[in-house]
Structure formats: C-alpha cells, structure tokens
Amino acid sequence: MKRFTHDEMAARVARDIPDGAYVNLGIGLPTRVANHLPPDREIVLHTENGLLGMGPAPATGAEDFDLINAGKQPVTALPGASYFHHADSFAMMRGGHLDYCVLGAFQVSVAGDLANWHTGASDAIPAVGGAMDLAIGAKHVYVMMEHLTKDGASKIVARCTYPLTGLACVERIYTDLAVIDVTPAGLVAVDVVPGLPFAELARLTGVPLADGSAAVHVA
Amino acid sequence: MAARRRPSRPVIDKIVPTAAAAVADVHDGATIMVGGFGTAGIPFELIDALIATGARDLTVVNNNAGNADTGVAALLKTKRVRRIVCSFPRQVDSWVFDALYRTGEIELELVPQGNLAERIRAAGAGIGAFYTPTGYGTQLAEGKETREIAGRRYVLEYPIHADFALIKAQAGDRWGNLVYRKTARNFGPIMAAAAKCTIAQVASVVGLGELDPEAIVTPGIYVHRVVAIADAATPAVAA
C-alpha cells in the first residue's frame, strides 16, 4: 500500500496554512512542516518557550542554547522576532491569538478528542509540557500522525483509550493515508493517498467516515 | 518645593557578593522556584550554592526535572527535594529524576505548562484562583472544581507561591532591574514576582540608569538579591 511520506504529509499541512498566519508546530513530526512552508507566504512561527518569529536551525558551530525551541533544539530568530516570558507565551494560545497549531497524536476520536501526552502505562513517567494548552489554545488545531499503529489498529477511534489531552479540539487529521476533517456531522476524508480506494480507507479506519475527497481533491 | 535630597550613598543596594551569600538563608522545608527551560535560563551557580547550604525537605518548582547531572538534577541527586512541581519531567537525560520517581523518593505534581506559568503569574499578581480551559476533562483536572462560563468549560486553578526564586538574567542593577537573554527569559519574570525572596544571577551588574527603562523586563521591585556570575555559554541539552 502506498503511503504519504512524512515529508509529503508535512508539505500538505504547509500548503493549508495561509499567508499571515501565526503558527505553533509541536514537537516531533509537526516540526517538519517548517521545512515546507511556501517561501512566498509570511508565516510567523511561535515556540511556547518564548519566541515569535522563529527561524530555522543555525549553522553548525553557531548554536546558542539560550535560543532554543520547545524541543530544546537550537533555532534562530528572524527579523521582526520577539521574546516574551512563559505566561505571555501561553496567553497567546489560551487567549485565542494563535491561528494554527499542529500536534502529534496517539489517538484522535470521532468527536475530535485528542490523546497525545501519555500512554497510560503504569510504569511510564508522565510528562505533559504544553500539550494541553496547545490542544485548546489555537483557533485551528491540526494533528499529524500515522493512520495505524504498528499492530495495524486505527489511531482514529470512537473513544480515546489513552488519557485525554483535550476534548473536541481537533479540526483536521493528516495521516500517511488520508486527510480527514472532524465535522459536527462526523469524519470526512477530504484527501486519500493515491491508489487507496475509499472503501479500503474506511475499513482500515474502522469508524464512520464520509467520502469528501471527490469535492476537494488536491492533486 | 525643595528638590529631593540625593542620598550620599546607595540606600537600595541588592547586590550581594557571592552566590553562597545570596542563598545562605534558605531554610529546610522551603518552596523554591527555579527559572529555566531545558538549560536556557537555569541559574546553575545559584543551584550549586543552594546544594552547599544543605537545606532539605525542599519543594522545587521548575518546568523540567533536571538535565544530566547538573543544575536541578544535581539538586535532586542530594535527595533533599521532597516534591517537584513541573510540566515536563521526562527527558532523554532526566535519569536522576527518573530513578528517584521510580523508587518513590520524590513526589511529582504534574501541571500543564501554561497552567504552571499562569499559576506562578497569579501568585505574583495577587490573584486568589482562576478558571482556565487547559486540562478540562483530563486526568490532570481530576478532583478540581469546574465551571461553564459563556459556553466554555474551565478548571479552577490556584496560584503557586514560593519562599525563594532562583533565576538567571543577562544584566541587572543595584535596584534589581533585570533584562534577559533570548529564550532564557522563560520563567524568570513571573517567578521573580511570585516569591517572597527573589535571587537573580546576572552575567553583568550595570550602574543604575544604564538599563533603558523602556527595555527593563523585570522591574527591581520584584527582585531582592542580585549576584554577578560571569557568563558561561549555556550547555546543550541532550537530544
């Protein structure tokens, strides 16, 4: 079965982020979206440890560990960038100022509930960071994740079995098989990886899924 | 009206000579906020001085729970921290915390990062409690009061106060005015306001008036002690 590569997924997310948007890219897969933002769009990246106008990683040897992203990797500050403390940074999310946030996930439910911070394993050390703030903070919350677990189970579920990060917060899901909108009427697949029949996608997903790909298919 | 007489010597002088002098009165059982995110903004020298005091039964508030064997991790290693309040303890190099947690030798209060920041801010701003949407419906809000306001659901969160805040800034003056460096600012300004005694290590002490009033990030009213610690490059975080 053909799947979207991580870079294809990231490029697809990047295409959907409009000019002028303020965006937070979560740790892991979403970080890759930064590499695909169209150069003709002015998009301002927010990192919750206190920077708007985040630029790419510095050249080797030019790293400054006072200038890092939420994943604690060295970054740069673009012209126009600003620094701020943590309460301001999270007010930007909670206060509804941030336009888009792209997060990784363990599971997303048909209602748009998100589970991405804890597997619930009793021996796991819990760590939440900004996940819960991001989940409810941006105007549009997108998720990027593999469609299926390593065992082939759908990560899009009727109800999350992992501990929740936020309720009814996810608007769109980008997977290696499809792009799926979470709507009040249920899940709608707006794009499917070429060669995968919708019926097969629906079977793999295992929860009610409408076919919206004909209307808005992007080549 | 007569002009105010200028004092002949500084009457407000928060500069202390050494990190050891700055933390000498930290008592057993104290709650201590420690600035920093990853290694950026961690006041390593103040933490080392705190370790040397031998103060025990401490509660530490920091975003993380220490990296490698330095800073907050070195403090935890002494087993003098009873409880840590943080958002993201688990990191690739958090082995000191991980071991203490697994053996039940440290208590963890896990707080979503924005709630942690706002609870610290609320303490400094005199807010009794606040409703936040973050965490609603999750494990981390279990047992907490909730309320629906204008159609949105919120969780009641209380401020976090501290006896001491140990923070790192780029420059400070004898009044305690501070400016920071890049993303090392992180928790510094809000912790400064939330503690009864805020101790800032600064890379350089500058004369009163040298910091641009338009650019001062933490006004000196929030800061009680300033100690000059020659700046060393912030160490990398293990990836």
Side-chain angles (χ1 to χ4, degrees), chain A residues 64 66 86 123 125 128-129, chain B residues 87 90 102 113 181 183 234:
Chain A
D64 176 349
D66 280 345
H86 253 69
D123 61 338
I125 292 173
V128 65
Chain B
S87 87
R90 185 192 65 232
R102 288 191 197 286
Q113 201 170 330
R181 185 166 185 275
T183 58
T234 298

Side-chain angles (χ1 to χ4, degrees), chain A residues 72-160:
Chain A
K72 304 181 178 84
Q73 299 155 319
V75 294
T76 48
L78 297 176
S82 54
Y83 299 115
F84 34 84
H85 64 63
H86 253 69
D88 276 351
S89 186
F90 283 83
M92 288 176 197
M93 298 178 198
R94 204 190 301 107
H97 308 280
L98 201 65
D99 297 308
Y100 291 85
C101 154
V102 186
L103 295 169
F106 297 140
Q107 292 175 326
V108 178
S109 81
V110 292
D113 295 347
L114 171 68
N116 78 346
W117 71 281
H118 193 18
T119 60
S122 58
D123 61 338
I125 292 173
V128 65
M132 290 185 180
D133 305 275
L134 283 162
I136 57 90
K139 288 178 196 151
H140 306 281
V141 175
Y142 290 172
V143 157
M144 280 176 86
M145 66 178 187
E146 313 295 336
H147 205 97
L148 306 172
T149 66
K150 289 190 175 67
D151 302 330
S154 176
K155 294 171 74 170
I156 301 170
V157 293
R159 267 181 80 90
C160 294

Side-chain angles (χ1 to χ4, degrees), chain B residues 120-140:
Chain B
I120 294 167
R121 195 200 70 80
I127 303 296
F130 58 93
Y131 284 102
T132 171
T134 301
Y136 182 90
T138 74
Q139 261 182 22
L140 299 188

Side-chain angles (χ1 to χ4, degrees), chain A residues 72, chain B residues 37-39 42 44 64-74 91-95 236-238:
Chain A
K72 304 181 178 84
Chain B
F37 177 92
T39 50
I42 294 280
F44 286 101
N64 304 105
N67 296 94
D69 294 293
T70 59
V72 172
Q91 300 179 88
V92 285
D93 58 353
S94 61
W95 50 77
V237 182

Side-chain angles (χ1 to χ4, degrees), chain B residues 180-236:
Chain B
Y180 298 84
R181 185 166 185 275
K182 304 184 180 183
T183 58
R185 179 182 306 191
N186 57 64
F187 284 90
I190 53 174
M191 287 182 170
K196 286 181 206 151
C197 178
T198 291
I199 304 164
Q201 71 169 69
V202 298
S204 63
V205 169
V206 299
L208 207 60
E210 284 185 44
L211 296 175
D212 177 358
E214 294 281 10
I216 289 171
V217 176
T218 296
I221 192 169
Y222 296 125
V223 178
H224 304 85
R225 296 170 195 166
V226 175
V227 58
I229 304 283
D231 207 10
T234 298

Side-chain angles (χ1 to χ4, degrees), chain B residues 145-196:
Chain B
E145 282 183 56
T146 60
R147 182 163 173 177
E148 187 172 316
I149 302 170
R152 198 170 189 198
R153 293 174 297 186
Y154 297 85
V155 182
L156 186 66
E157 292 285 357
Y158 291 88
I160 302 172
H161 296 272
D163 298 301
F164 295 89
L166 310 184
I167 63 173
K168 182 180 177 183
Q170 179 65 8
D173 61 26
R174 68 174 173 84
W175 278 13
N177 294 309
L178 301 177
V179 294
Y180 298 84
R181 185 166 185 275
K182 304 184 180 183
T183 58
R185 179 182 306 191
N186 57 64
F187 284 90
I190 53 174
M191 287 182 170
K196 286 181 206 151

Side-chain angles (χ1 to χ4, degrees), chain B residues 14-81:
Chain B
K14 298 177 181 178
I15 311 297
V16 290
T18 63
V23 300
D25 60 346
V26 173
H27 52 85
D28 290 353
T31 294
I32 302 174
M33 289 179 174
V34 180
F37 177 92
T39 50
I42 294 280
F44 286 101
E45 289 78 3
L46 288 178
I47 296 170
D48 289 343
L50 172 64
I51 292 169
T53 67
R56 55 181 56 251
D57 193 30
L58 303 174
T59 294
V60 167
V61 182
N62 178 246
N63 187 64
N64 304 105
N67 296 94
D69 294 293
T70 59
V72 172
L75 177 59
L76 298 188
K77 212 170 181 174
T78 64
K79 301 194 179 185
R80 297 188 203 127
V81 178

